[in-house]
Amino acid sequence: MGSRGFWQELKRRHVYRVAAAYVVVGWVLIQVVTQVFPIFHLPDWIDQAIVLLILIGFPIALVLAWAFDAVPRGNVTAYGPADSDGPSLPLRRRSRRAGLIVGAIGVLVAVIAGGAYWHFGRDGSRAVPATVAATGRAARGPDGAQRNQGSGNADSTAYSVASGLHDASAANAAPIAPQPIPSKSIAVLPFENLSTDKGNAYFADGIQDLILTKLADIGGLKVVSRTATENDSSHPDDLSTIGHRLGVATFLEGTVQKAGNQVLINVQLIDAKTDNHIWARSYQRDVTNIFGVEGEVAGKVADALNAKLTAAESAAVAHVPTTNPQAYDDYLRGLHYDHEAGKGDWTTFLPQAIAAYGKAVAGDPNFALAWAALSNARSDAYFWAGDHSKANLLAADTSARRALQLDPRLADAHIAMAGVERLLQHDLVAAHSQMQRAVELRPNDADALANLAISDANLGIAGNGKLLQRAIALDPTDPFNYYQAGVGLAAAGDYAGARQAERRALAIDPQFVLAYLALSRIEISDSQNVEAATKILEHMAPGTPVNVSVVIWRIKLLLFRRQYDAARALAGKFAGKFASGPGAVDMTFARANIEWLAGKVDPARGLYRTAIGLVTRPGSEISGADHARLGVAYARLGNADAAIKEGNEALTMAVKSHQHDAPQRVKYDLASARLALGHESAAVEALTEVLSMDPSDIRAPWLLFLARMQLAPTWDPIRNDPRFQALLKEYAATAASTSNAPTAAGARGTNG
């Protein structure tokens, strides 16, 4: 058959018509797939597979069209004249067959799509992942909660089978409902270091952090936190999945290459759903004129996402923090060490961060951002590295005030000042005010929002759940925010919701210690079930770090059972590990309490003297909780005057702090001190004041104190005292009739 005959045969068989029909139907199917499937949050590969199937099906459809139209020439008259202008019967049959071919492919596509939706979509939204890598970072600001209590990648599936503490339903049962993904939302992926010298990784990390900070200042954007992406690669293949997990529509990718004094920065804004580039830019600078690049990038991103900046936001984004190249470099090094410290090795990296920030402000005394970072690092040293010296806190105070003086609109400076107000001035109201201002200036800071929520809780301000919801939306991978939500739910009397929130935290990080402690304490508060509370700690995921808080709570649970030998053995096992550093004071007091409650007075008094020496070391800043513990220690040493003095100081500081339940905590310790001095009536009076807190206060901790009074051997000397029994009976009846519950985090500094 010649070429002309071939084309005539194609025309006679109407393959053209089949091809046209296929193109039209295929185009419609592709539009449906690409536009509708994302609504059901199906993986991108399904879209790609269906489009590929449609393309592959095109030549197959043509071949089948040719084959179906192979009509015997001798039989043409049975179907109508070959030269008929109208469609003959065979053509009508051919059209139906062509339609069947195209329709069959459409049905196949629908079956694949339906099966994929059944497999991937039937479990509901995946807005928050069942298991993601741990964040491992510290809280900034006025709270004393320990956020970085452990991280790891334990096998959560095996763990859930073994312990039953969390499961797939807990992983998807977030305290807040999945939210729609706003178009003006972004996550900044870790910047890739392309420098030959891998030691320049700090520079790439620092540039990423500065850009992220500038973006976080823009209220019209949703900007997820750094920790939400720190375990993702610089150029991941599954942007759509990650975008859905983080609740963002776009990503900012970047590379940094530094060679000598030359720096090349490439950034690109990418659509999370389509993987298409929205905007890209290269910046080739010398280290002497690199300043302000982060502001330029943030401004370009805001323009690309149609985010409108206020005049104040525009000024903040355009502001150049320093023009000193060496100070800039030192600050970036400080950021690097700070982030490394946040992964858990505080004693190694925090001093290096403080030194780097110190060099930065020495090189440029007007570098407000570095002054704020220096203050925050010193506050972290108080919490995490055991530097309780007054000199450290005074230096933090000086740095924070200098930062505020240089730039009153710097959010980091207000965060730093919040820490100082809490740690040095012991004023939670002032700390709360500073943190509020920080959130106003940087509305996209998940840590600041979480710390403001904790500050609300400390002051007894209800409704902090909305702040935690915002923090979770900005960092859905941080177990701390779910933990804190659980604490709030327990405080409101919702123990079921509290347990669910804590299990959600464990679904994110199976080694998150705070959630285990909260679950264990909830058992004591809710039902005084010591066995259940103990089992929770016995079934922590393998590899979960055991810190001093876990050991001391386990000791208390043993004391609730009067298992003094076991408590002593447990304390001895960890005594060496916590012989120095931030856990030394807590462990020494715990060991002293064991001996005292076991009736071993002389060993107890020796340990109390050691603990007093640790707390009162020259230059140390003594907290209100420490004064309360000192009061108990002096009382058990028989020094009534010192015990009364320390108790009064603790109560004064508790009132000054404005922490809503601090006076009750101090009075609980004062009751223990009075009992040790033989003043049983005064002890019962103090306990009455502890429990007389208004039950309508949803943050009232009296139920937790009631549970400890029922369980702790501290009160065994007056266990059968009619006044003590009447007190327990009265408030046990009140507990049965109220839905209020204690703060799940427990009371720090109590000796019961």
Side-chain angles (χ1 to χ4, degrees), residues 124-155:
S125 174
R126 297 288 198 266
V128 183
T131 304
V132 295
T135 60
R137 67 147 182 277
R140 299 288 196 185
D143 66 287
Q146 300 182 11
R147 301 185 65 161
N148 187 44
Q149 293 293 343
S151 61
N153 297 311
D155 187 338

Side-chain angles (χ1 to χ4, degrees), residues 280-563:
R281 181 89 183 259
S282 293
Y283 299 87
Q284 188 164 1
R285 301 288 178 88
D286 187 274
V287 293
T288 59
N289 69 347
I290 195 174
F291 320 107
V293 167
E294 62 272 14
E296 291 183 39
V297 173
K300 290 287 187 182
V301 170
D303 289 342
L305 298 181
N306 296 316
K308 304 300 181 182
L309 277 65
T310 65
E313 289 172 345
S314 296
V317 169
H319 177 69
V320 176
T322 183
T323 56
N324 184 308
Q326 187 57 53
Y328 186 83
D329 190 79
D330 289 329
Y331 174 75
L332 295 185
R333 289 182 186 274
L335 281 180
H336 171 73
Y337 294 133
D338 220 341
H339 292 313
E340 290 300 310
K343 296 176 182 177
D345 194 349
W346 301 98
T347 56
T348 298
F349 291 106
L350 262 184
Q352 296 182 61
I354 290 171
Y357 292 142
K359 289 179 63 178
V361 297
D364 182 0
N366 295 321
F367 196 171
L369 191 60
W371 280 112
L374 179 58
S375 177
N376 278 321
R378 288 194 174 278
S379 293
D380 281 348
Y382 178 93
F383 273 123
W384 309 110
D387 188 353
H388 289 185
S389 67
K390 191 145 190 168
N392 177 53
L393 290 181
L394 287 172
D397 180 60
T398 300
S399 299
R401 294 184 187 280
R402 177 63 174 158
L404 274 177
Q405 179 187 17
L406 291 168
D407 190 353
R409 292 190 55 81
L410 181 63
D412 298 81
H414 290 281
I415 292 172
M417 201 65 222
V420 169
E421 293 288 6
R422 172 181 167 81
L423 298 177
L424 184 63
Q425 306 301 333
H426 309 289
D427 188 344
L428 296 187
V429 172
H432 183 268
S433 177
Q434 293 289 347
M435 192 55 66
Q436 272 188 316
R437 184 58 177 149
V439 170
E440 291 171 2
L441 292 169
R442 185 175 296 154
N444 286 300
D445 191 325
D447 282 350
L449 287 164
N451 284 331
L452 181 58
I454 295 169
S455 184
D456 280 356
N458 285 336
L459 295 175
I461 300 173
N464 67 338
K466 291 183 178 180
L467 292 170
L468 287 172
Q469 288 180 6
R470 289 171 59 190
I472 289 171
L474 294 174
D475 189 354
T477 68
D478 188 351
F480 179 84
N481 293 330
Y482 292 99
Y483 153 77
Q484 194 60 39
V487 170
L489 290 167
D494 184 0
Y495 287 117
R499 289 184 176 97
Q500 184 184 63
E502 301 303 343
R503 287 166 178 155
R504 181 65 188 85
L506 290 175
I508 293 175
D509 181 2
Q511 296 177 348
F512 190 62
V513 163
L514 281 177
Y516 292 111
L517 285 171
L519 285 168
S520 181
R521 285 168 172 157
I522 286 171
E523 292 300 328
I524 296 300
S525 302
D526 186 20
S527 62
Q528 295 82 55
N529 191 332
V530 179
E531 182 178 0
T534 302
K535 284 184 176 179
I536 288 171
L537 299 184
E538 290 176 346
H539 290 93
M540 293 191 298
T544 301
V546 178
N547 63 15
V548 70
S549 298
V550 174
V551 175
I552 289 175
W553 182 246
R554 286 179 61 188
I555 287 172
K556 287 184 178 182
L557 292 174
L558 290 169
L559 294 177
F560 289 164
R561 292 180 167 185
R562 311 304 189 267
Q563 296 177 355

Side-chain angles (χ1 to χ4, degrees), residues 57 78 84-85 148 192 214 244 257 266 337 369 400 478 500 512 537 553 563 609 620 630 668 681 694 705 726:
S84 171
D85 293 334
N148 187 44
E192 184 179 5
K214 290 289 188 181
H244 185 60
Q257 186 172 6
N266 289 304
Y337 294 133
L369 191 60
D478 188 351
Q500 184 184 63
F512 190 62
L537 299 184
W553 182 246
Q563 296 177 355
R609 292 188 184 96
S620 295
L630 288 173
Y668 187 87
S681 296
D694 184 1
F705 291 125

